[in-house]
Amino acid sequence: MGRPGALKLSNLKVLPPVRQPGKMFYAAQNFQEHVDEMLRAGMTPKEGPKFTGEKSTSAPYLFLKAPSTLAGAYDDIAIPAGLKKIDWEAEIACVIAKPGKHIKAERALDHVAGWMTTNDVSARDLQVRADRPGLRSDWLNGKSHDNFAPMGPFLVPRAFIGDHMKLFIRLMVNGEVKQNGNTSQFIFTPEEQIEYASGILSLQSGDIFSCGTCGGVGQGTNTFLKVGDVMETEIEGLGKMRNRFVAEAV
């Protein structure tokens, strides 16, 4: 028997650990395997030089996702009507506790409250616009639909994570493993991402960094999520999410 007064997590409505972040930063192409698979899938400009994962000649590539996309760890996610290429991106996220600007990477963890499991759900149908071929990507259309940022179920304080650079990242769809990576494979570390972003704008308490996904996204094999699919996202020591995909009510 459980402790008196204890409740089962499965019987609760689990909300995102951070309800109203001011900013949500996302790292694009931050694992070598993911860079390679997106190059093969044609998700880069056809003309000009391409980023191939070389860190010494580049900087972190971050974009913003709307805080209204937040969902709980067990919430359903509606596939927007007419879209066929809904993809998964298992990621580890950190939450800013101490505000700051021009934060050096070696001091960045002093500003971090803790870590979470998350998923950067993406609409690949809309991420590259056929009517604007000269633009790199449409981040709003591709990333910021309702419930496209499930997070949780826990915010684990930094003190309880021994080494955030040695955690497995795993994603399953309908019980089949699709992603199986490790945070040791980051091109740019979370600390380097915090330094980069804080050189542009001030970071505030509650801001979130979703630090990039490993190889194995659906775009790499032209395999996408459909109504009825169950997506499970897990980061070692941070908990597992389970999200079911449903049809959008229109």
Side-chain angles (χ1 to χ4, degrees), residues 90-101:
E91 306 197 11
I92 185 174
C94 65
V95 181
I96 296 298
K98 178 182 175 183
K101 191 172 185 184

Side-chain angles (χ1 to χ4, degrees), residues 25-28 59-64 139 193-194 196-197 200 209-210:
F25 298 94
Y26 283 74
Y61 191 112
L62 304 180
F63 62 92
L64 292 168
W139 297 111
Q193 294 174 36
I194 289 170
Y196 178 77
I200 301 169
F209 282 78
S210 191

Side-chain angles (χ1 to χ4, degrees), residues 17-32:
V18 180
R19 296 298 310 281
Q20 295 181 317
K23 299 180 286 297
M24 290 168 55
F25 298 94
Y26 283 74
Q29 296 192 4
N30 198 39
F31 283 71
Q32 188 63 55

Side-chain angles (χ1 to χ4, degrees), residues 59-216:
Y61 191 112
L62 304 180
F63 62 92
L64 292 168
K65 192 162 179 169
S68 60
T69 62
L70 280 173
Y74 309 119
D75 286 352
D76 290 345
I77 299 174
I79 294 178
L83 299 190
K84 304 295 185 183
K85 296 182 177 182
I86 304 303
D87 205 350
W88 56 83
E89 292 193 8
E91 306 197 11
I92 185 174
C94 65
V95 181
I96 296 298
K98 178 182 175 183
K101 191 172 185 184
H102 300 298
I103 301 166
K104 295 299 183 183
E106 55 267 24
R107 302 294 300 174
L109 290 184
D110 294 341
H111 294 258
V112 170
W115 303 91
M116 299 184 293
T117 299
T118 190
N119 198 301
D120 177 21
V121 181
S122 305
R124 304 297 189 195
D125 318 58
L126 304 173
Q127 195 170 334
V128 176
R129 291 267 296 268
D131 62 333
R132 300 291 184 97
L135 295 180
R136 166 65 177 84
S137 195
D138 187 340
W139 297 111
L140 177 66
N141 248 334
K143 300 287 189 174
S144 282
H145 296 269
D146 292 344
N147 283 23
F148 269 28
M151 288 191 185
F154 313 111
L155 170 59
V156 180
R158 180 168 58 88
F160 291 93
I161 299 299
D163 188 349
H164 64 284
M165 292 295 294
K166 293 182 179 179
L167 304 178
F168 72 69
I169 300 172
R170 188 170 298 143
L171 181 133
M172 297 189 295
V173 177
N174 302 327
E176 180 183 354
V177 175
K178 299 292 188 179
Q179 291 184 282
N180 192 14
N182 194 282
T183 57
S184 63
Q185 300 168 318
F186 281 131
I187 295 174
F188 291 98
T189 67
E191 294 93 322
E192 289 169 326
Q193 294 174 36
I194 289 170
E195 177 176 314
Y196 178 77
S198 70
I200 301 169
L201 73 174
S202 297
L203 302 185
Q204 304 296 334
S205 299
D207 287 350
I208 294 172
F209 282 78
S210 191
C211 301
T213 197
C214 55

